[in-house]
Amino acid sequence: MTWDPKKYNEFKEERSKPFEDLASHIIDKPNLKVIDLGCGTGELTKKLSEKLTNPTILGIDNSAEMLAKAPIQQNLQFQEKPILKQLNEETKWDLIFSNAALQWIDNHEELFPKIISHLNPNGQLAVQMPQQNENILNKILLNLVQEQPFASYLNNWKRPSPILTLDEYAKLFFQNGGHNLVLYEKVYPIISNNQNDFFEFISGSALTVYQERLNENQFAELTAEFQKRINNYFPAVPSIYAFRRLVLYGVFNLR
C-alpha cells in the first residue's frame, strides 16, 4: 500500500491514545527483545522503547515513505519488510507489539497463532486494531465500492475487514497458551472541527487499498463520493465519531 506520512500524522494525537492504552498492559523486564510489526514512522516505536528498561527493538514496515521518518537511536533498528515475510523467519521475541497494523492482513484465525509461535516462553503479545466492522466510516466505504460505477472500476473487488470478534480473539489467545489476558473494545471519540475532518482522518488509511487499483480519474470520483457521503452522515459541525478499537494483550506459555 502507498502511505502518506504527512496525511497520516495529521491525526497523530488521536492515534497515540490507543498506543498508550496498549503499552500500559506490558510488563516491563530488563533487556526485552522486542519487535514492532507495522511500525509506520517509528515515532511510537521510540515511545515504546522509552517505557521499557534497556530493550532491543526492531521495527518493521512495508512502507519506505513511512520508514524515511524513523528516528535514529542506539537500541532501535528499522527494516522495510512485510509482516508476513518477517513471520516466515525463525526469530523469536520476548514482546511482539503491533499498533494499528494487523487489520491490513487477512485470515486472523491463522495469523495470530503464527505470531504467537514467534514468542519466547512467557513472551508478551500486545495488539491494537480499529474495529473496522463496527466503525461507520469503514461501513460507508465498503458499501460504496460495491455500487456502480465503482464495482465495475474495481472488477467487483472489495476489501472486507478481517477483524474478528472479541470472543474469537479470546479463544485464539487461550487455545495458544495465553494467560493474564486483557481483551477489550474501547471508543476513542473524534470530534470534527470542520466538515471534512472525518474524511481526512480515514483517507490516509482505508482508501489506500482502492487507490492502488483505480486510475487517477476513477479514484478522484470515488474520493469525492465518499467525502460527500461522510458529510451527509455527519451534517453538523462539531460532530462526534465514535471510533472503536480493539486492545488485545496476553502472556504466553507455548504448548
Side-chain angles (χ1 to χ4, degrees), residues 49-68:
S49 74
E50 294 166 353
K51 294 176 180 293
L52 301 173
T53 304
N54 195 35
T56 300
I57 303 182
L58 171 65
I60 67 162
D61 202 280
N62 64 356
S63 171
E65 295 85 358
M66 288 291 215
L67 289 173

Side-chain angles (χ1 to χ4, degrees), residues 137-234:
L137 298 187
N138 296 97
K139 290 181 178 180
I140 292 173
L141 179 58
L142 186 59
N143 289 335
L144 178 58
V145 298
Q146 295 177 81
E147 298 177 10
Q148 295 297 346
F150 307 111
S152 294
Y153 293 164
L154 293 161
N155 294 317
N156 294 313
W157 183 88
K158 59 183 180 295
R159 210 277 171 170
S161 174
I163 299 295
L164 306 176
T165 66
L166 269 178
D167 285 354
E168 289 169 319
Y169 287 116
K171 185 177 180 181
L172 281 173
F173 276 43
F174 180 74
Q175 289 179 338
N176 287 276
H179 60 97
N180 294 354
L181 303 182
V182 182
L183 312 168
Y184 59 91
E185 179 182 285
K186 182 175 177 179
V187 170
Y188 294 86
I190 299 173
I191 309 299
S192 63
N193 296 309
N194 301 287
Q195 189 177 43
N196 293 327
D197 280 352
F198 296 147
F199 168 78
E200 294 295 333
F201 173 76
I202 196 170
S203 66
S205 55
L207 277 174
T208 56
V209 293
Y210 297 104
Q211 185 176 12
E212 292 176 343
R213 290 167 171 80
L214 298 172
N215 64 40
E216 186 175 346
N217 290 335
Q218 291 169 341
F219 183 67
E221 189 178 347
L222 175 65
T223 297
E225 183 61 25
F226 185 36
Q227 185 170 3
K228 176 183 174 182
R229 293 194 184 191
I230 292 173
N231 291 339
N232 286 341
Y233 191 91
F234 297 99

Side-chain angles (χ1 to χ4, degrees), residues 97-116:
F97 186 87
S98 185
N99 185 66
L102 297 183
Q103 71 273 14
W104 299 114
I105 302 178
D106 292 333
N107 198 355
H108 283 199
E109 293 90 343
E110 293 184 5
L111 175 66
F112 272 76
K114 189 168 188 177
I115 291 173
I116 292 165

